[in-house]
Amino acid sequence: MASVPAFAPRRDEPVFARLAIIGIGLIGSSIARAAKELNLAGTIVLADRDAAVRQRARELDLGHAIAETAAEAAVDADHVILCVPVGACGEVAAEIASELKSGAILSDVGSVKGSVVDAVSPHLPEGVSFVPAHPVAGTENSGPDAGFPSLFLNRWCILTPPEGTDPSAIAKTRQFWEGMGALVEVMSAQHHDLVLAVTSHLPHLIAYNIVGTAEDLEAVTQSEVIKFSAGGFRDFTRIAASDPTMWRDVFLHNKEAVLEMLGRFNEDLALLTRAIRYGDGETLHKHFTRTRAIRRGIVALGQEKPETEKLRKD
Amino acid sequence: MASVPAFAPRRDEPVFARLAIIGIGLIGSSIARAAKELNLAGTIVLADRDAAVRQRARELDLGHAIAETAAEAAVDADHVILCVPVGACGEVAAEIASELKSGAILSDVGSVKGSVVDAVSPHLPEGVSFVPAHPVAGTENSGPDAGFPSLFLNRWCILTPPEGTDPSAIAKTRQFWEGMGALVEVMSAQHHDLVLAVTSHLPHLIAYNIVGTAEDLEAVTQSEVIKFSAGGFRDFTRIAASDPTMWRDVFLHNKEAVLEMLGRFNEDLALLTRAIRYGDGETLHKHFTRTRAIRRGIVALGQEKPETEKLRKD
């Protein structure tokens, strides 16, 4: 990697002497790659409960060492990041708790924060800080091969430290994510779960749902759906190709916020459905006009290029 | 444009001596650019009912002439393409009917075909063929500036000629779209409307709806929605930024098929909602796993690159 120009400044001094990454999927392997390339940690140890994944991580030369167990990886680590599905965080925290040294910072990358805080906090030893993190970045691909070091570049990472968390632990965690090129924001776990319910969880559920609906049709074949997907459907299929286990856990663990958003979504959809049924073009046009504003905000913020620009590149 | 290498082979002989394009938006201006660049028509005349758009088309040097009215543009044309919202096709057909010469081929680019056939057919003069076309291509942008000549390259264009249409008119229309790099498929208007209801119309409605839902929240600000849109929401905003008039007409004119698909979508969503409410992780995981298959089909067909490839390019 030394010959490849870094996508972000390489640090002279690492943020953490020893970093442990538990779970070597898309996110875990991307952190390992970024941290190594940018010198964010002196030693990087990874662990995964799947032996085949550990083997692949060795072949990919991720980090500096691959541990056999999460507990082994956590020994003497200054920063431990749980990169496992949301539903597994509590269990892994319990498993590594006795190995965490005083002063260590425990973190995670889950897409739901309230339930992770609830599940992890009881296992937290004295002297260890918990700074939950959620990098709002990803692709449709999973596994150790899917990761790449610039995954977090210019993407938001939300930290949701519980009240009373040591400010220096928050500052170090921020420094680490900013070191990978991320933009860091701090908010409460509860607010995070509400924001993400609408910007991420509901869109995923809707995408999974519509792709399922399309698969079940009798009058339209699957090959036709695939062929003519450029009309809008294609974008939904990318979202609906995300990791099933991760997303199952997201919905089970952010249930209240997702159900609340789903309720609102359904009410609004009933209104549009009614407008279509009764030929109310004015209601449709009004609705379709006001939704353009949010898009302009996203393009203006540089979180996305306008589509023509991307098309022209092809 | 002569100095830019063509994205598709330039023809020695044009397909049509005289081409008329009625409506100079994203699609109309893209056809004008492609047809001129690739020599698909000897003379290209454009018309638009909006004087400011006609003026802009002159500044952009689109085609060879800008007519004041649709009727004027249609005079002596071998191929006339209606590039107006679906709901305006009948009216424009009535307006130009008396100017259409015998042997001319009338076409359109509407996203709904059944209602366009119904609206246009009564106005069709003796000796004029109607070959409805739907290029399944577009961007979030509208207007004469948004067009570009390679918009149709490797995109499907569906022709839905009514029974009894002169086969040579169908062949010429196919030749024209293939000349712009499109892949052409022929099917009935009714089947088209069903296929597109699921691959395009329903996704657009859902996207418009979810963006509207997000805008109305009190607990989450619009700026937060914009900031953290990378989690999935962003893709919906692109779709929900499409032209409001075009989409109003699509829903009003493909009402039955869209309502049918909406019904199925709602039934499926009720099932997923119930699984979330009762913590049925198995149902969720099963559903999220089978939706990956369609995505693989789309990537395999080359209609879309896997996401990581796109990200790595940035």
Side-chain angles (χ1 to χ4, degrees), chain A residues 136 138-142 146-148 155-156 158 185 187 191 194-195 198-200 202-206 208-220 222 224-245 247-248 251-252 255 258-259 261-262 264-266 268-269 272-273 276-277 279-281 284-285 287-292 294-295 297-298 301 303-308 310-314, chain B residues 136 138-142 146-148 155-156 158 185 187 191 194-195 198-200 202-206 208-220 222 224-245 247-248 251-252 255 258-259 261-262 264-266 268-269 272-273 276-277 279 281 284-285 287-292 294-295 297-298 301 303-308 310-314:
Chain A
V136 187
T139 76
E140 65 189 277
N141 303 304
S142 321
F148 52 99
R155 296 288 161 213
W156 289 94
I158 304 173
E185 177 116 347
M187 62 177 76
H191 190 63
L194 208 58
V195 172
V198 64
T199 61
S200 176
L202 183 59
H204 272 81
L205 191 73
I206 295 306
Y208 276 123
N209 191 65
I210 202 172
V211 174
T213 302
E215 266 187 317
D216 289 341
L217 299 174
E218 315 81 33
V220 179
Q222 191 155 324
E224 284 178 316
V225 168
I226 290 172
K227 239 168 152 173
F228 304 116
S229 61
F233 187 74
R234 201 175 54 188
D235 293 313
F236 289 70
T237 66
R238 182 173 62 248
I239 301 176
S242 306
D243 184 58
T245 304
W247 282 97
R248 176 199 63 198
F251 294 116
L252 295 179
K255 183 169 110 171
V258 169
L259 289 177
M261 293 302 167
L262 257 172
R264 287 168 180 259
F265 173 87
N266 279 324
D268 296 346
L269 190 57
L272 289 183
T273 305
I276 292 172
R277 190 178 298 282
D280 178 1
L284 295 175
H285 194 273
H287 187 97
F288 299 168
T289 303
R290 79 186 176 97
T291 49
R292 289 188 132 175
I294 277 201
R295 178 64 184 169
I298 289 173
L301 212 75
Q303 286 282 298
E304 169 95 320
K305 293 185 186 67
E307 195 180 22
T308 36
K310 292 199 299 184
L311 279 172
R312 280 168 203 266
K313 275 204 284 182
D314 288 345
Chain B
V136 187
T139 76
E140 64 188 274
N141 304 304
S142 321
F148 53 98
R155 295 290 161 210
W156 289 94
I158 304 173
E185 176 118 346
M187 63 176 72
H191 189 63
L194 209 56
V195 172
V198 66
T199 61
S200 177
L202 183 59
H204 272 80
L205 191 72
I206 296 306
Y208 276 123
N209 191 66
I210 202 172
V211 174
T213 302
E215 267 190 318
D216 289 341
L217 299 173
E218 313 81 34
V220 180
Q222 191 156 324
E224 285 178 316
V225 168
I226 290 172
K227 240 166 151 175
F228 305 115
S229 62
F233 186 74
R234 200 177 53 188
D235 294 313
F236 289 71
T237 64
R238 184 174 59 247
I239 302 177
S242 305
D243 183 58
T245 304
W247 282 98
R248 175 199 63 198
F251 295 116
L252 295 179
K255 182 168 110 172
V258 169
L259 289 177
M261 294 304 167
L262 257 173
R264 288 167 178 261
F265 172 88
N266 279 323
D268 296 345
L269 189 58
L272 289 182
T273 305
I276 292 173
R277 190 177 297 281
L284 295 175
H285 194 275
H287 186 96
F288 299 167
T289 304
R290 77 184 178 96
T291 49
R292 288 188 134 175
I294 276 200
R295 178 63 185 169
I298 288 173
L301 212 75
Q303 286 281 298
E304 171 95 319
K305 292 183 187 66
E307 197 180 18
T308 36
K310 292 199 297 184
L311 279 172
R312 281 170 203 268
K313 275 202 286 182
D314 288 344

Side-chain angles (χ1 to χ4, degrees), chain B residues 112-115 117 132 159-161 187-194 254:
Chain B
V112 180
K113 303 270 62 123
S115 75
V117 170
L159 306 183
T160 66
M187 63 176 72
S188 74
Q190 195 200 3
H191 189 63
H192 166 279
D193 288 355
L194 209 56
N254 198 21

